[in-house]
Amino acid sequence: MRFRIKELGPGVLVAAAFIGPGTVTTATLTGAGFGYTLLWAMLFSVISTIILQEMSARLGVITGMGVGDALRSKTKNKALKGFTFALVILAIVIGNAAYEAGNLTGAVLGFGSPKSFYGINPLIIVIGAVTFVLLFIGKYKLIERFLVLLVAIMAVVFFVSAILVQPDLSKIISGLFIPVIPENATFMVLGLIGTTVVPYNLFLHASSAKQKWKNKEELKFARWDTIISVSLGGIITMCIMITSAVAFGGSSVTIESFADLSQQLHPILGSWSSDFIAFGFLAAGFSSSITAPLAAAYATSEILGWKSSFKSWKFRIVWGFVLLTGIVFSSLGFRPTSVILLAQVANGLILPVIAIYLLWIVNDKTIMGNYVNSKFINILGFIVILITLMLGVKGINSALGLF
């Protein structure tokens, strides 16, 4: 087991990516509004994510290709290839640039508003600068270890919080294993799944897995890494839901700011509650602010046939664009609404598209050899794709208000 812990890495990047400020907010609102009843949706999300991410990691380890490489080689029709490429760049690059502002803003959410310079929050600049240095140095193992540290901080913060609030274990068990959708909870269920099953993580996982593991015999470590890391990420999210359920009593309340959350937790966690939870938000925002530019660089480089190397200037330009855009938007307090709406539509389309492509690729014996999907995994994969289609419709509808 000690050796397997040393093998953790690419899966942790995935966990670090999906536990961002958006996930923390969604989990908090879910626990506050519906108590323990939607824990099963998070359990389903974890299982779905493990299924898709295992396929992605297996692709990287067995073939040495990323998802973008496989899409480029597998898609022969020019019109379909052009549509796919445009969708990937729009959703992953432009979308992540817009969302990066939220990652950076969320990272400093719990630390108040320090004295600003010409209206710019210096903490955002500091986090942006550290992110830039980590990515520019380009040491994969350094980035991997730093994100492992951030995920560990999140695990400690939110797990300890969940224990301190003394939740009802019987309600946790029933919430996990008895699927119930209360009135007006459907969008929350889809929201929990949507913040966990993230399209850009499929690109990130395959690309990082092919760097860490170089031969087929190491596939077992990639699978352990995926199962342990994604499960840990799911547990962290569940701990947030549980803490919020106890703190807010499972009633419909209004949570408009970090202060609202910390005030409600104050009677339970004491005078240190604000600082404690602030570090959880910092780790969540910081980790996502690193993985979003990195995933965008991998996806773009692979889909366009560039060299996906940390030393490549094309690779650096992509992650630099995403990071700089996020720093500017978050520093100025500007919310690029139209860009985010466009990104939501593109992500709503790309999630099922990439999931279908991935299932197609990992069933191709000319690419995967004897490591194609089993029938059981294919059945689970089709179920997950149906869910991603629902997520896609929901995401497009929330952006455009079609129905």
Side-chain angles (χ1 to χ4, degrees):
M1 191 62 186
R2 203 174 281 175
F3 183 67
R4 285 172 184 159
I5 290 173
K6 289 181 179 179
E7 290 291 336
L8 293 178
V12 176
L13 266 66
V14 171
F18 75 69
I19 311 174
T23 299
V24 175
T25 302
T26 301
T28 300
L29 292 173
T30 303
F34 302 100
Y36 304 98
T37 56
L38 296 183
L39 285 172
W40 65 268
M42 196 60 226
L43 179 61
F44 175 83
S45 301
V46 169
I47 295 170
S48 299
T49 303
I50 289 173
I51 291 168
L52 288 179
Q53 297 297 157
E54 187 278 333
M55 292 182 201
S56 179
R58 184 166 17 117
L59 174 68
V61 175
I62 299 302
T63 68
M65 292 193 297
V67 174
D69 295 320
L71 285 176
R72 185 165 41 83
S73 63
K74 184 76 172 171
T75 310
K76 304 301 182 184
N77 182 280
K78 287 186 177 181
L80 183 60
K81 182 177 286 191
F83 169 76
T84 304
F85 285 17
L87 197 58
V88 168
I89 292 172
L90 181 62
I92 307 297
V93 181
I94 305 302
N96 281 7
Y99 296 141
E100 184 73 351
N103 293 331
L104 292 168
T105 302
V108 302
L109 193 62
F111 294 93
S113 300
K115 187 177 180 181
S116 62
F117 299 94
Y118 301 100
I120 297 175
N121 188 330
L123 289 178
I124 290 175
I125 302 300
V126 170
I127 291 174
V130 174
T131 301
F132 179 87
V133 170
L134 283 170
L135 292 173
F136 191 84
I137 290 173
K139 298 290 185 182
Y140 173 77
K141 285 190 177 295
L142 178 63
I143 294 172
E144 183 181 270
R145 288 169 183 168
F146 186 75
L147 289 174
V148 168
L149 174 63
L150 291 178
V151 171
I153 291 172
M154 282 188 278
V156 170
V157 169
F158 295 121
F159 187 69
V160 170
S161 298
I163 292 175
L164 289 176
V165 298
Q166 299 179 343
D168 187 325
L169 291 179
S170 63
K171 289 183 178 179
I172 290 176
I173 293 171
S174 63
L176 277 171
F177 300 108
I178 302 176
V180 175
I181 302 180
E183 189 177 354
N184 300 322
T186 304
F187 271 16
M188 277 300 183
V189 171
L190 293 174
L192 286 172
I193 299 171
T195 59
T196 310
V197 188
V198 183
Y200 79 69
N201 272 345
L202 299 174
F203 290 89
L204 180 64
H205 203 171
S207 301
S208 55
K210 73 180 183 181
Q211 289 195 43
K212 189 172 182 72
W213 298 293
K214 303 297 183 182
N215 60 73
K216 298 174 182 179
E217 288 71 27
E218 294 179 304
L219 179 60
K220 59 184 178 181
F221 299 121
R223 284 172 169 157
W224 270 109
D225 172 51
T226 302
I227 293 169
I228 293 172
S229 300
V230 174
S231 297
L232 178 60
I235 290 169
I236 292 171
T237 307
M238 289 179 192
C239 285
I240 299 170
M241 294 170 65
I242 291 167
T243 303
S244 183
V246 176
F248 297 99
S251 58
S252 182
V253 295
T254 301
I255 305 173
E256 296 181 347
S257 67
F258 178 87
D260 294 333
L261 176 60
S262 60
Q263 285 172 11
Q264 291 290 335
L265 292 177
H266 189 273
I268 303 166
L269 301 180
S271 59
W272 48 271
S273 61
S274 295
D275 291 337
F276 196 61
I277 300 299
F279 277 103
F281 271 86
L282 173 64
F286 208 160
S287 63
S288 294
S289 73
I290 295 171
T291 53
L294 187 57
Y298 276 132
T300 305
S301 298
E302 291 170 358
I303 206 82
L304 296 179
W306 300 343
K307 187 178 180 181
S308 54
S309 165
F310 279 96
K311 302 300 181 183
S312 166
W313 279 102
K314 290 180 180 178
F315 190 86
R316 286 174 169 172
I317 286 170
V318 177
W319 66 249
F321 166 76
V322 172
L323 177 59
L324 183 61
T325 303
I327 291 173
V328 171
F329 284 166
S330 57
S331 296
L332 299 179
F334 172 63
R335 181 175 171 80
T337 306
S338 58
V339 178
I340 290 174
L341 287 176
L342 185 63
Q344 283 179 336
V345 173
N347 273 289
L349 288 170
I350 200 173
L351 180 56
V353 169
I354 297 302
I356 291 168
Y357 266 128
L358 186 59
L359 201 62
W360 180 33
I361 291 165
V362 294
N363 277 288
D364 189 336
K365 280 202 169 187
T366 61
I367 295 176
M368 300 297 296
N370 293 326
Y371 294 89
V372 293
N373 277 1
S374 66
K375 289 182 179 179
F376 178 68
I377 294 297
N378 277 332
I379 291 170
L380 294 178
F382 279 118
I383 293 172
V384 173
I385 285 173
L386 288 175
I387 299 298
T388 62
L389 285 169
M390 291 172 59
L391 286 172
V393 172
K394 183 252 181 184
I396 294 170
N397 179 57
S398 65
L400 302 179
L402 297 176
F403 50 86

